[in-house]
Amino acid sequence: VTGLVADSVFKFVDATMFDLNAMEADGETTKYLLPGVSAKIHFNTGNLAGYEFDVHAYDHATHTFTLVKITDERGDSFPSESSAAFQFAVGNEYKLLDVALPPEYEVEAENELANAGETYYDQNCQPKVQYSLDIHDSFLRNLIRDGVTVNIFKPGDYIPIKDADIDVDKSVRIQGFKRDLINEYKYTLTISDTVATNVTNRIISELIDVDKIITINNLKDPARARANWQSSREVLNMVFDPDGDYYTAKIKPESIDTNALSVGAKSMQFGLTNTVFQPNYNGNKNSISVQGGVLTHYTIDENAARSWVLANNTTTFNSDTQAYYIYAKCQRSGTSGTIIFSPDQIKVKQDANFYHFWIGVVNSVNTELNARAVSLSYGFTMVNGGFIKTGRIMSYDGNTWFDLDTSEISGRINFKDGLVSGLIGIGNDKGINAFFNGKGGGENGENLDTDVRIAVGQQADNVTNAPFMVLHDGSFIASKATIEGIIKAISGSIGGFEIGNGRIGATTSGNASSGKGLSLYNSFIKFANATNWASIGENVLPLSSGIEGLARFTMDKSGDGGLASGIALMIRATFPNDEFETWSIRRSIDNRGNLFSIGGHTLFDDKYIGEAYTDVIESYIGIAHSFVFTAISASLLNVRMPTKSQITSDIGNIPVSFLLHITIASGVSNGIRLLSQTDGQIYNNNGGAVSYIDMTQGDTLVLRYYNGGWYQVAARQ
């Protein structure tokens, strides 16, 4: 923000802003504004840091933004038209959201990222190393003339190092050295590009970054805080002595007996927004840095709350043993202020031009920690009847606290007792409906595995019947659970199927015939009923058979009577693109063992019924052993018989034997000549080698293959 507009708190100027309203060449499409989406301003710093506003308008002639006012759930409007505490100011930083950015912005960001990446790469592309380096004195004596006694090396110098074993080729800094006082040319160097930290460094770092930074960043409701203060004072003013002698001796021995107690002066009733105190700044125990923020006072003006913008500053203390008061020094007639530190007590209206609001104390330097602490004391506590109004309740060590202003709890909280039987309950006006239980259920209070530790969805007197429970032994019960991730179950049921150790479904062993229903074992899958059996596993046959089997499919319908048809086992595979089947494996079943058949057995072949080609049998021998040629393109077409190497490529290098059927369909005008090949020789019935066999329409031929030979079994010509 480079400027403000006097007549409106909703406007500000950014002199560096590009033309947000720029149009494309067509004069209709905006370059940067997105259709149907309002541009947004998100403030990163200032009194409205964290707030986000829609952009109502942008005037590029004056570089002026106009924002849309927002109203929160309390009815407060931002930017505030009445309080400078909630207005933007020159120097505030913001982000422009939901717009397209000019190309130069993108290029600048990409270049910045590339530069940062290259810098990081240069620093980290080689291993961080540390060496102890002994330098031979004769080497240095030859370089330096005699009589020179000054140090040749000093910490901070760089020495080029090459270490091929770990790909190091760079200059490494000298961290320290040892020099022989007698032999002035004898050096031992420690060179390293790593940084070691000691205990002191780590303690100071923690003090700077974590432990001792106090941040006040709560956007308070000034009207509500002021109302609480006023109502508390009103209650205090209306307190009377109902017993007649109460105020004659309010402070009694060993006790204070009164109707109401108020702690906190009227001048200390204020709130701080975006204020940060950093004692021990940069590791210096006598330095404190302050981010000012906004102070809103609820009671200094009888008619309304007032706000001041506090300046940032850094202060250095003169004495380790001196504690300092923290004051907000605010203009009586203006809206500016600053944080000051003083060893003196300053009353709020002691200065004619400024208020001095006491915030707290910067303690003297702790000799053990060698650091200062900050204690805040503004605000008030009101105790009357059964009510306490305050800001924060804190333990002496500061590790445990309840901040009622920000609704936060910190520390390790152990609940010792609760509602019923040691239960801690959570609920609403309809009753308690969630429980945490730390009590044991044994006779002497000892823990039992069945003790309910967490329960949801049931009243206290029926907690053991809750739909969700976690027990002491780690088990849990959830009647309506959606679970993702790793599930390990060894008992119970799922979908009506019983879960056992190593199984799901009916109880049965892998080779037993008993146990009806579905069984899933870690080595066995089975389904069985009165007449059917289907199983796959390590052994699916009864032990009494003396035979092991991997799969078993049994259907017994002999007693059903009248059963018209049935299929005990169907295996069907349909593949697309038949032209690819000659050089890719596609099988509905691959049988490499004995077949045992009872009853009817039929085999239907449809794999090759079509035109004859020279390499047709060679190409299809892996998927078809029956060929019916319905067309032949030449008067006598040469057709080669497959070789042993071609057979081996399909089935592997194992000895096999099989039948091959060849038929020339009736009505085919041309013929074929089956040609022998090396390791694909045709033999006649006498075992003699033949070069070829001619076939024409109506001819059939049956050959048996073995070890590169085709033996004629039957021929009809």
Side-chain angles (χ1 to χ4, degrees):
V1 177
T2 61
L4 303 179
V5 179
D7 62 346
S8 176
V9 298
F10 306 114
K11 297 181 179 180
F12 71 86
V13 177
D14 183 355
T16 64
M17 183 62 191
F18 60 89
D19 186 1
L20 189 61
N21 302 320
M23 307 295 289
E24 298 287 0
D26 59 10
E28 298 181 357
T29 306
T30 56
K31 282 187 176 182
Y32 309 121
L33 295 175
L34 305 179
V37 179
S38 297
K40 296 177 179 60
I41 295 291
H42 180 97
F43 283 96
N44 293 337
T45 64
N47 298 338
L48 294 175
Y51 281 84
E52 191 171 294
F53 303 88
D54 286 346
V55 175
H56 175 69
Y58 172 72
D59 183 359
H60 190 59
T62 60
H63 298 279
T64 301
F65 281 98
T66 302
L67 306 185
V68 178
K69 177 177 67 176
I70 62 173
T71 303
D72 65 12
E73 67 277 2
R74 303 169 299 182
D76 294 332
S77 298
F78 302 94
S80 174
E81 297 180 82
S82 59
S83 174
F86 301 108
Q87 297 173 0
F88 35 73
V90 174
N92 291 170
E93 297 179 357
Y94 69 91
K95 292 186 295 187
L96 187 60
L97 306 177
D98 290 342
V99 298
L101 293 176
E104 56 267 25
Y105 281 59
E106 298 178 2
V107 172
E108 180 182 358
E110 291 171 353
N111 291 337
E112 184 177 350
L113 177 61
N115 291 336
E118 290 175 0
T119 301
Y120 180 84
Y121 177 80
D122 292 340
Q123 295 172 345
N124 296 274
C125 63
Q126 297 188 27
K128 301 290 185 181
V129 294
Q130 179 171 328
Y131 296 94
S132 178
L133 182 63
D134 291 322
I135 301 179
H136 201 282
D137 57 348
S138 62
F139 173 75
L140 294 179
R141 191 181 299 276
N142 292 331
L143 293 178
I144 307 298
R145 63 184 177 87
D146 290 339
V148 177
T149 58
V150 297
N151 288 330
I152 301 173
F153 304 101
K154 62 179 182 295
D157 289 346
Y158 281 83
I159 294 182
I161 295 295
K162 289 186 178 181
D163 189 340
D165 291 339
I166 57 175
D167 294 329
V168 169
D169 185 358
K170 60 181 177 179
S171 294
V172 183
R173 185 171 59 89
I174 298 176
Q175 281 193 340
F177 67 87
K178 295 180 180 178
R179 183 181 181 186
D180 195 314
L181 295 179
I182 298 177
N183 185 351
E184 61 184 1
Y185 295 103
K186 186 175 182 180
Y187 282 82
T188 299
L189 306 180
T190 299
I191 59 175
S192 174
D193 54 8
T194 62
V195 178
T197 60
N198 56 33
V199 174
T200 303
N201 289 338
R202 289 198 298 271
I203 292 176
I204 293 176
S205 177
E206 291 176 357
L207 290 175
I208 293 173
D209 296 332
V210 181
D211 293 338
K212 297 301 180 181
I213 296 178
I214 298 179
T215 301
I216 305 169
N217 189 25
N218 50 319
L219 298 179
K220 296 177 180 294
D221 183 349
R224 182 172 298 175
R226 176 182 175 84
N228 284 339
W229 164 257
Q230 291 175 338
S231 63
S232 299
R233 302 307 300 175
E234 186 176 28
V235 170
L236 191 62
N237 292 334
M238 296 182 68
V239 170
F240 67 100
D241 180 4
D243 295 336
D245 63 350
Y246 210 92
Y247 296 141
T248 59
K250 282 200 293 184
I251 301 179
K252 297 181 179 181
E254 299 182 359
S255 69
I256 298 177
D257 194 2
T258 185
N259 257 10
L261 175 66
S262 178
V263 179
K266 178 181 179 181
S267 64
M268 301 174 70
Q269 311 314 308
F270 55 84
L272 293 171
T273 302
N274 292 330
T275 300
V276 179
F277 294 98
Q278 297 188 58
N280 314 294
Y281 186 61
N282 285 337
N284 183 355
K285 62 182 180 300
N286 283 319
S287 179
I288 185 168
S289 176
V290 178
Q291 176 182 303
V294 176
L295 184 149
T296 302
H297 208 292
Y298 315 129
T299 62
I300 198 68
D301 189 327
E302 295 293 338
N303 298 317
R306 289 188 59 185
S307 297
W308 290 265
V309 178
L310 305 178
N312 301 337
N313 73 78
T314 300
T315 301
T316 301
F317 304 121
N318 297 322
S319 171
D320 287 7
T321 60
Q322 177 67 57
Y324 295 86
Y325 292 103
I326 307 173
Y327 297 101
K329 183 178 180 181
C330 300
Q331 296 174 335
R332 286 203 179 197
S333 59
T335 59
S336 298
T338 186
I339 301 292
I340 66 171
F341 303 90
S342 172
D344 303 321
Q345 296 180 356
I346 306 175
K347 295 183 179 179
V348 64
K349 296 182 179 180
Q350 180 175 319
D351 191 313
N353 298 317
F354 295 92
Y355 294 116
H356 285 78
F357 301 123
W358 182 28
I359 296 175
V361 171
V362 179
N363 298 98
S364 60
V365 176
N366 184 293
T367 56
E368 293 182 2
L369 296 178
N370 199 31
R372 293 180 184 266
V374 170
S375 300
L376 305 180
S377 56
Y378 66 94
F380 80 99
T381 296
M382 176 69 183
V383 181
N384 67 297
F387 301 92
I388 299 177
K389 294 180 182 178
T390 191
R392 175 178 287 201
I393 304 172
M394 182 182 294
S395 63
Y396 286 112
D397 60 8
N399 292 331
T400 304
W401 46 260
F402 290 72
D403 195 317
L404 304 179
D405 288 337
T406 61
S407 302
E408 294 178 335
I409 299 176
S410 176
R412 180 176 179 179
I413 310 297
N414 294 321
F415 293 93
K416 295 298 185 182
D417 203 358
L419 300 174
V420 181
S421 301
L423 290 179
I424 297 172
I426 302 173
N428 51 33
D429 56 355
K430 304 299 182 182
I432 302 301
N433 48 45
F435 302 91
F436 297 89
N437 177 27
K439 185 178 180 181
E443 292 184 1
N444 299 317
E446 67 271 17
N447 294 322
L448 302 178
D449 287 345
T450 56
D451 287 341
V452 179
R453 295 300 178 217
I454 301 175
V456 176
Q458 193 55 263
Q459 297 295 319
D461 57 355
N462 198 26
V463 67
T464 56
N465 293 321
F468 178 87
M469 291 185 291
V470 179
L471 306 185
H472 180 79
D473 63 358
S475 59
F476 76 94
I477 299 166
S479 60
K480 296 181 179 180
T482 300
I483 300 175
E484 297 181 1
I486 299 174
I487 300 175
K488 297 181 180 180
I490 59 174
S491 64
S493 63
I494 181 170
F497 291 99
E498 181 183 353
I499 299 175
N501 191 3
R503 69 174 177 85
I504 298 177
T507 304
T508 184
S509 61
N511 53 25
S513 59
S514 60
K516 309 303 181 183
L518 174 65
S519 295
L520 303 178
Y521 279 75
N522 53 7
S523 61
F524 186 83
I525 300 175
K526 183 214 72 174
F527 169 79
N529 59 21
T531 59
N532 302 322
W533 180 288
S535 58
I536 300 175
E538 289 184 353
N539 187 12
V540 299
L541 300 175
L543 291 177
S544 59
S545 67
I547 303 173
E548 291 189 358
L550 176 65
R552 174 183 176 186
F553 299 92
T554 302
M555 182 175 71
D556 184 2
K557 295 295 183 181
S558 59
D560 288 354
L563 185 63
S565 61
I567 300 176
L569 175 65
M570 174 183 285
I571 300 175
R572 180 177 181 180
T574 303
F575 304 104
N577 300 326
D578 285 349
E579 64 270 19
F580 296 136
E581 291 187 325
T582 59
W583 46 275
S584 64
I585 298 175
R586 298 181 179 186
R587 300 169 181 170
S588 59
I589 188 170
D590 189 340
N591 173 58
R592 304 194 181 189
N594 291 335
L595 289 176
F596 183 74
S597 175
I598 297 178
H601 178 77
T602 59
L603 180 65
F604 299 93
D605 288 319
D606 66 345
K607 182 43 59 186
Y608 200 88
I609 300 175
E611 186 174 353
Y613 298 97
T614 297
D615 61 350
V616 64
I617 300 179
E618 292 176 311
S619 300
Y620 280 84
I621 194 63
I623 58 175
H625 291 165
S626 176
F627 293 84
V628 178
F629 297 133
T630 59
I632 302 173
S633 60
S635 59
L636 187 61
L637 180 68
N638 289 331
V639 177
R640 297 189 297 265
M641 297 303 296
T643 65
K644 180 178 181 180
S645 62
Q646 291 170 332
I647 301 296
T648 300
S649 67
D650 286 326
I651 64 172
N653 191 20
I654 57 176
V656 296
S657 175
F658 59 88
L659 293 175
L660 176 66
H661 296 256
I662 302 174
T663 301
I664 307 296
S666 176
V668 177
S669 57
N670 295 323
I672 64 171
R673 172 166 287 179
L674 298 176
L675 297 178
S676 294
Q677 297 193 84
T678 302
D679 270 344
Q681 180 65 53
I682 302 175
Y683 296 97
N684 59 25
N685 290 334
N686 296 322
V690 297
S691 300
Y692 61 85
I693 297 177
D694 291 338
M695 298 180 65
T696 59
Q697 64 167 324
D699 289 350
T700 62
L701 177 64
V702 179
L703 301 173
R704 175 170 291 279
Y705 171 82
Y706 171 69
N707 195 27
W710 296 96
Y711 297 88
Q712 182 172 315
V713 176
R716 186 173 65 82
Q717 295 176 304

